[in-house]
Amino acid sequence: MAMLFSKSRKLINLKTKIGLLLSPNMTTPFGILGLSNHPHLASFRFESTKAQIQLNPMHNIIDHHSQVLNFPGGEVKFTSNLNIIPETAEERVHCYRVLDDDGYPITNDFAQIEEEVALKIYTDMVTLQTMDTIFYEAQRQGRISFYVTTLGEEAINIASAAALKTDDFIFPQYREPGVLLWRGFTIQEFAHQLFGNKNDYGKGRQMPIHYGSNKHNYITVASTVATQLPHAVGAAYALKMDAKNACTIVYFGDGGSSTGDFHAALNFAAVLDAPVIFFCRNNGFAISTPVTDQFRSDGVVTKGQGYGIRSIRVDGNDALAVFTAVQEARKIAVNEHKPVLVEALTYRAGHHSTSDDSTKYRPATEIEWWRTARDPISRFKKWIEREGWLNSEAESELRSNIRKQVLQAIQVAEKVEKPPIKDIFTDVYDVPPANLQEQETFIHETIKRNPQDYPTDVPL
């Protein structure tokens, strides 16, 4: 009884305190929380939100003299013209480029690149192209189970990576291994992942080409389309809250822009002023679905303005244009804490993956034209040759050395044993639950009973 009486007194005191907190003089949420006099706490969570003019219900919100509606979000002018906004603009958004198809600059309005950086960009593009050629053939030979190439999109990979800083976080789709290559991921590390051996950082649990590296701030690839977009925005907001001088960049294809995650992420980023770069590789097809069957808008770039995001369309086969655009986008993201949308127009000069035959839905002649006439590596090569930074002898030696490195990496990775069976069950729970332990016991017993049905190079 004494204990109950004590609790009742506490409840009475609590009610009194609540009554004080909810007094008419404390109408704001922070007043209710007792934080009305704590500006640091009040502004920290909502520092990216700009207060608009508050509507006063006691006054008419329409200014009849200026014919302006004072509406949340800003003033809106009235008009007597019945004007339905057309579905598209009269002219498509222009595409920023620096080099023409023959490698000649058509403008001086681009970021200047030093010889060392230019040569690394070219070297890494050639390396990526060589890796794709040899790893693709390795899959066709049955040595690895799956592969995705970046043929035709090498400039997007390497030039965008060159414009970023190492503290920036990369949220890839699955066609951006060149970004990881630029950051120092070795050819041997790529091979280990593709073969899923014990040196693979994912311990063989992921499909081939699903790379990831904590060391290089490269978030592991996920097969699910566009799920990385909201993740990138959340990470960018965290960087902003921690006052980091960095941003995130998230890569996705035109097909990714047809998902709900794309729209949620853009709105999320715009409202919170998140320092994130949305980089869309518009290569014309979402696997076999052309952009004409995906949307009626002028590509993806126009979607940014609908969410209040600055946007630019760039020639994705022009390394200098991509480098310049991403460098400017990063300045906006980091210095102004604003998101930016970059749409790179390009063309997938290879199949979607080793499970695809793209000649079933597009002409082989079209593919070949893009592969040759619009090749981003050849275009950039012509420019650096005219700058006097590369000659045919150095070019030949470069390609020969890279080819040897890739072939050697495959031979090494093939001989490394696979991760043990136990790794299937680790790294999720601190203490595995009973049902997981039962499953592990079951698989060990099954393999022992039927050893002929399981590979011999997987340790038990």
Side-chain angles (χ1 to χ4, degrees):
M1 179 67 75
M3 183 174 65
L4 290 175
F5 179 71
S6 174
K7 287 186 177 180
S8 66
R9 284 195 302 177
K10 290 180 179 178
L11 288 173
I12 293 171
N13 290 335
L14 180 59
K15 289 179 180 179
T16 305
K17 291 178 181 178
I18 292 176
L20 290 173
L21 289 173
L22 298 179
S23 64
N25 295 327
M26 295 184 177
T27 57
T28 66
F30 290 106
I32 294 174
L33 294 173
L35 301 176
S36 57
N37 295 321
H38 203 312
H40 176 70
L41 291 176
S43 63
F44 185 67
R45 170 61 181 84
F46 301 100
E47 62 182 356
S48 64
T49 303
K50 294 178 174 61
Q52 303 292 338
I53 299 175
Q54 299 298 310
L55 299 182
N56 188 339
M58 301 301 293
H59 298 283
N60 193 337
I61 63 174
I62 301 177
D63 184 339
H64 292 283
H65 296 289
S66 60
Q67 292 296 298
V68 171
L69 175 65
N70 183 12
F71 196 77
E75 294 182 344
V76 180
K77 292 183 178 180
F78 287 106
T79 179
S80 58
N81 297 324
L82 178 59
N83 182 26
I84 298 177
I85 300 174
E87 62 271 28
T88 58
E90 293 184 3
E91 187 176 12
R92 297 192 70 180
V93 174
H94 294 185
C95 183
Y96 171 71
R97 78 183 325 197
V98 174
L99 300 176
D100 66 14
D101 291 340
D102 291 321
Y104 286 99
I106 62 173
T107 178
N108 292 322
D109 184 21
F110 64 93
Q112 300 303 307
I113 299 180
E114 296 179 354
E115 177 181 353
E116 181 181 359
V117 175
L119 287 176
K120 178 169 169 52
I121 289 175
Y122 182 72
T123 298
D124 283 1
M125 284 200 294
V126 171
T127 301
L128 186 57
Q129 184 185 63
T130 306
M131 285 169 51
D132 279 347
T133 301
I134 296 177
F135 286 144
Y136 184 90
E137 291 302 323
Q139 193 280 335
R140 285 295 185 245
Q141 295 167 3
R143 300 165 82 175
I144 58 177
S145 61
F146 181 77
Y147 193 72
V148 170
T149 68
T150 58
L151 298 174
E153 301 181 30
E154 294 90 352
I156 285 176
N157 273 248
I158 305 301
S160 67
L164 301 169
K165 304 296 182 184
T166 54
D167 289 338
D168 299 331
F169 282 80
I170 312 298
F171 287 77
Q173 190 176 12
Y174 43 67
R175 216 178 294 278
E176 294 82 26
V179 180
L180 193 52
L181 177 66
W182 176 270
R183 293 196 164 198
F185 207 71
T186 67
I187 295 174
Q188 190 63 67
E189 287 175 306
F190 281 112
H192 286 320
Q193 197 284 330
L194 294 173
F195 282 88
N197 60 40
K198 70 175 185 179
N199 291 333
D200 168 25
Y201 301 130
K203 299 184 179 181
R205 298 164 178 153
Q206 282 272 23
M207 288 175 60
I209 67 90
H210 287 55
Y211 311 108
S213 173
N214 289 336
K215 176 182 177 181
H216 299 101
N217 289 337
Y218 190 95
I219 309 304
T220 301
V221 173
S223 290
T224 45
V225 177
T227 55
Q228 70 274 18
L229 273 77
H231 301 162
V233 178
Y237 188 62
L239 291 173
K240 173 183 173 181
M241 297 295 283
D242 289 340
K244 299 293 186 181
N245 187 36
C247 68
T248 65
I249 183 169
V250 55
Y251 295 88
F252 57 100
D254 47 276
S257 73
S258 299
T259 66
D261 279 340
F262 167 80
H263 297 278
L266 262 66
N267 194 55
F268 183 18
V271 172
L272 295 179
D273 290 333
V276 54
I277 301 171
F278 296 98
F279 196 107
C280 177
R281 296 176 293 94
N282 185 348
N283 60 25
F285 292 87
I287 307 183
S288 60
T289 305
V291 293
T292 52
D293 290 344
Q294 293 185 62
F295 39 71
R296 287 293 179 266
S297 61
D298 177 11
V300 177
V301 67
T302 55
K303 301 178 190 293
Q305 189 174 24
Y307 288 102
I309 293 178
R310 277 175 267 187
S311 309
I312 184 173
R313 172 174 281 164
V314 61
D315 182 350
N317 289 33
D318 179 352
L320 287 183
V322 172
F323 178 86
T324 302
V326 174
Q327 186 180 78
E328 288 301 310
R330 186 186 185 277
K331 289 178 183 178
I332 294 171
V334 174
N335 298 335
E336 301 181 37
H337 289 159
K338 293 285 186 180
V340 181
L341 171 62
V342 178
E343 179 191 29
L345 300 185
T346 184
Y347 190 87
R348 171 166 47 81
H351 304 299
H352 175 76
S353 72
T354 49
S355 302
D356 174 51
D357 179 4
S358 61
T359 61
K360 298 295 184 182
Y361 52 84
R362 55 185 188 171
T365 53
E366 177 183 289
I367 300 172
E368 185 61 25
W369 182 81
W370 278 90
R371 188 194 297 269
T372 55
R374 298 274 296 156
D375 177 38
I377 300 179
S378 297
R379 193 193 307 189
F380 191 71
K381 174 189 173 184
K382 293 173 183 177
W383 179 70
I384 59 175
E385 283 180 333
R386 292 192 187 99
E387 294 292 319
W389 298 339
L390 183 71
N391 55 52
S392 58
E393 183 179 346
E395 155 82 4
S396 178
E397 183 178 356
L398 170 67
R399 288 185 175 274
S400 176
N401 288 339
I402 293 173
R403 179 176 176 81
K404 291 177 182 178
Q405 291 178 46
V406 177
L407 292 173
Q408 175 66 21
I410 288 178
Q411 293 178 4
V412 171
E414 274 186 317
K415 296 176 182 178
V416 177
E417 68 178 6
K418 302 299 183 183
I421 288 292
K422 67 179 180 64
D423 281 353
I424 298 176
F425 304 92
T426 58
D427 298 332
V428 176
Y429 297 98
D430 180 30
V431 178
N435 64 322
L436 207 58
Q437 295 179 30
E438 292 174 4
Q439 291 174 29
E440 184 175 6
T441 300
F442 174 79
I443 194 171
H444 277 283
E445 292 175 348
T446 302
I447 293 173
K448 288 180 180 179
R449 286 197 305 269
N450 307 280
Q452 71 282 358
D453 296 332
Y454 293 88
T456 57
D457 59 345
V458 179
L460 295 178

